[in-house]
Amino acid sequence: MRSDFPDAPTPVRLPGGWSLPPFGQPQWLALLVVAIAMWATSALWVGLQSVLQWAGTLQPEIHFYLPPGQPQQQQALIAALKQIEQVKRVDRVSRAETDAWLKRWLGGTPVAGDILPDTIRVTLSGNGDFLQEDLHDIAARFHASVNDEEFALLHARDRLTLASNILLGCGVVLMIGMALIVTNTLRLSLLAREDELSLMRLLGADEWFVQLPFLLEGGVIGAGAGALALVLQLPLLAALRALGLTPPSFAHLILPLLAAGVIVGFAGAVVAVRVRSA
Amino acid sequence: MDPTPLIDMQQVLTRYPSGRIALGGVTLRIHRGEFVFVVGESGAGKSTLLSLLYGALPAASGHLTVAGVDLRTAKSRAVRALRRQCGVIFQDHRLLFRRTVFENIALPLQVQRHPKARMVGRVEAALAFVGLSDAIWSYPDTLSGGEQQRVAIARAMARQPKLILADEPTGNLDYDTALQVTRYLVELQRKGSTVIMATHDLQLLEAFPSRVITLHAGAVVEDRG
Ligand SMILES: Nc1ncnc2c1ncn2[C@@H]1O[C@H](COP(=O)(O)OP(=O)(O)OP(=O)(O)O)[C@@H](O)[C@H]1O
Ligand SMILES: [Mg+2]
C-alpha cells in the first residue's frame, strides 16, 4: 500500500476490493473461539483415531475349550471354524502354553494338568453381523465352550468406529456454529462501516468490490483459527506418542484443519454480507 | 440546443416507503452544460429530485431518462455506470471522518478501480481547485465547516463527472463562503459539466443569474431562466 503512495505521512487505507478491513479485537476474539472449537473437535478425533489404531494392532482372538481326550471332535471343530469368513487362523494351543498362561493368570499357583481342557485359538480378521451367533452355534454343535469375554474387544472396536463417525457428524454441526460466530463478527464490522459501504454503492461501486474485503476477512479469521488449532495439536500428538499410541501424523492434519477453517470463515462471511444487504 | 436532453423527466411521481408522496408528477428537461438552481421551501422535494437522478431512489411512476439510461427499467449495472458519471454533493456531505481527506476524495476513483499511481495527482488537482492543497493528509474533523464543504466538492469533481448534483452545498455557510463555493460549481459548469444545485439561499440566485426551478410541495411551480 505504502509504495503506491510514497508521499503519504500515514499508511493509506482505501476500502473495497482486495483491501482487508482492519483486524481488531472482535476479529481476534472470533479467531480464538473458532480455533478452540476446532481444536477440541480435532483433538477428540485424533484421540479416537489413536485408540482405534491401537485396537487394530491387537488381534481379536476367541478361545474355544473342549473336554480333553476327544481328538476327532477337535478336528471337526477346527474344520467347521475354518469355514467362517472372518476367521483368519485357527490354532491348537499346546497344553504347556495353556498351563503357563493359567499359572500366570492365577498368580503362580500350580494347576493339576489333567483337568485342563483342550484349547483352540481362533484369530479373527474383523467383525460381522452374525459372527458371534455363528461361533456359538459351532461351539454348541461340538459341545465346546467359548470365552465370551473376548468378544468385548471386537465390540469395542465397532463402538469406537461408530463414535468416531458420530464425532465427525458433531464436527459438521460445530462448523455451522463456528461459521455463525464469524457471521456475527463480520456483521459488527459491516455495521461499523455502514456509512462507507452505502457511500461506495452510491458512487457506483460494484457489489463484489464492496463485499470482497469482508469475504477476505472471514477467510483470514477462518484460516488463522485453523492454523492456531493445528499448532495446538502438537502437544496432544506428543502426549499420545508418549503413551505409546500412534496418532495420525501432523502432516495429515494440516490440510483438513486449514481447509475447514477457510470454509467456515468464508461461509460465515457470505452469510454476513447476504443478511446485511437483504 | 442539444436535441436529446441529458435529463428527461416526465410526470415523475415518487413515493417513500412511508407512503409519503414527495414528488407528484414532475416534468422537466435539463440539457448538457446547463447550470440549474433548484429552490423551494424545506420539504419541497429538492433532495428527493436529486436522489432520483442518480438512481438512489426509484420513481414510482412516470418516465425518467438520465444520460440515455432509462432509470425505471435499467439494470443495476447500468445504474452503477450512470453513478460513475455523476459527482454528488450530499446535503449532509457524508465525509468519512475516520479517513483522511485524501482517502475521502480518492474514494470515487477507488470504486472504479482507478490506477493508484495516478490517484494522488487527481486528488491534488481537485484540492487545488477548491484551494485546500495543504489539507490533503488531514482528517476532515480538523477542518472548518466551509472547508469540509469544499472537500465534498473536491470529492464530487475528482473523477471529472459529466453531471454534478449538489444538494445545498452552501448550507450552514456564511454568505462570502457560500459565494465562493458556488463559484467553484459555476467554474465546473464552464469546464463542461452540467450542474444542478439545490439551495434555499435566494441571494445566491441574484449573484449567479441562471435557470431556477422552483418546487413547492412536490411540484414544479416555476421554471425560469
Ligand atoms: N426517507 C424518507 N422517508 C419518508 N419521507 C421522506 C424521506 N425523505 C424525505 N421525505 C419526505 O419527502 C418530502 C421531501 O423531502 P426532501 O428531503 O426532498 O425535501 P427538501 O426539499 O430537500 O428539504 P430540505 O430543504 O429541508 O432539505 C418531505 O416531506 C420529507 O418529509
Ligand atoms: Mg434536502
Side-chain angles (χ1 to χ4, degrees), chain A residues 1 4-5 7-9 12-16 192 195-196 198-206 208-209, chain B residues 54 56 80 83-84 90 94 96 98-100 102-103 106-108 110-111 113 116 119-120 137 155 159:
Chain A
M1 263 277 160
D4 285 325
F5 305 103
D7 298 331
V12 172
R13 297 171 298 122
L14 290 171
D195 54 345
E196 185 173 294
S198 66
L199 181 59
M200 284 168 75
R201 293 187 173 104
L202 288 179
L203 293 174
D206 291 316
W208 72 262
F209 190 78
Chain B
Y54 62 101
R80 283 198 296 271
R83 285 178 180 178
R84 290 178 185 192
F90 302 92
R94 293 206 194 195
L96 302 171
R98 274 166 305 159
R99 298 202 180 266
T100 59
F102 171 80
E103 287 161 341
L107 193 64
Q110 164 77 355
V111 303
R113 302 193 288 293
K116 292 209 166 55
M119 266 186 196
V120 178
W137 303 116
R155 182 178 65 190
R159 53 188 176 191

Side-chain angles (χ1 to χ4, degrees), chain B residues 8-200:
Chain B
D8 189 0
M9 202 181 240
Q10 283 168 33
Q11 292 302 320
V12 167
L13 186 133
T14 317
R15 187 185 291 117
Y16 279 104
S18 63
R20 162 110 207 168
I21 292 177
L23 290 179
V26 169
T27 298
L28 51 87
R29 284 203 169 88
I30 294 173
H31 292 272
R32 284 179 180 77
E34 278 194 84
F35 189 104
V36 182
F37 282 116
V38 177
V39 298
E41 81 280 0
S42 179
K46 304 184 292 294
S47 298
T48 305
L49 181 74
L50 294 186
S51 305
L52 279 172
L53 299 180
Y54 62 101
L57 204 66
S61 69
H63 173 87
L64 174 60
T65 307
V66 179
V69 178
D70 181 348
L71 278 169
R72 295 211 53 215
T73 58
K75 297 251 176 5
S76 58
R77 166 188 284 274
V79 174
R80 283 198 296 271
L82 172 64
R83 285 178 180 178
R84 290 178 185 192
Q85 298 173 40
C86 295
V88 183
I89 301 165
F90 302 92
Q91 185 163 10
D92 50 358
H93 60 60
R94 293 206 194 195
L95 293 181
L96 302 171
F97 285 90
R98 274 166 305 159
R99 298 202 180 266
T100 59
V101 166
F102 171 80
E103 287 161 341
N104 270 279
I105 297 174
L107 193 64
L109 301 171
Q110 164 77 355
V111 303
Q112 58 192 53
R113 302 193 288 293
H114 189 85
K116 292 209 166 55
R118 278 184 278 135
M119 266 186 196
V120 178
R122 277 284 192 96
V123 172
E124 276 172 346
L127 274 174
F129 179 76
V130 295
L132 277 177
S133 295
D134 292 343
I136 185 163
W137 303 116
S138 336
Y139 283 86
D141 55 4
T142 64
L143 303 177
S144 73
E147 287 165 341
Q148 290 175 9
Q149 296 280 29
R150 280 143 73 191
V151 172
I153 294 178
R155 182 178 65 190
M157 61 169 285
R159 53 188 176 191
Q160 296 157 10
K162 282 188 197 167
L163 176 60
I164 292 180
L165 303 169
D167 197 351
E168 302 201 21
T170 62
N172 302 323
L173 298 183
D174 62 81
Y175 184 61
D176 284 343
T177 317
L179 271 182
Q180 189 193 14
V181 162
T182 311
R183 215 172 281 134
Y184 294 137
L185 292 171
V186 171
E187 182 63 29
L188 288 177
Q189 182 246 345
R190 291 220 182 92
K191 288 180 175 175
S193 298
T194 308
V195 179
I196 304 175
M197 171 171 162
T199 185
H200 52 229

Side-chain angles (χ1 to χ4, degrees), chain A residues 86-156:
Chain A
Q86 292 92 345
V87 170
K88 200 158 84 183
R89 281 178 59 182
V90 182
D91 300 299
R92 214 171 316 192
V93 181
S94 74
R95 203 153 270 271
E97 199 182 319
T98 314
D99 210 25
W101 180 82
L102 207 62
K103 255 193 206 140
R104 200 159 11 102
W105 199 61
L106 293 175
T109 321
V111 191
D114 53 349
I115 62 151
L116 280 181
D118 286 329
T119 305
I120 291 164
R121 178 173 52 225
V122 178
T123 308
L124 299 171
S125 59
N127 200 355
D129 280 346
F130 299 106
L131 181 61
Q132 197 171 351
E133 285 85 344
D134 286 350
L135 293 176
H136 274 125
D137 285 351
I138 292 173
R141 218 164 357 119
F142 298 95
H143 307 291
S145 57
V146 189
N147 188 345
D148 273 319
E149 293 189 3
E150 291 171 328
F151 282 108
L153 179 61
L154 219 52
H155 291 310

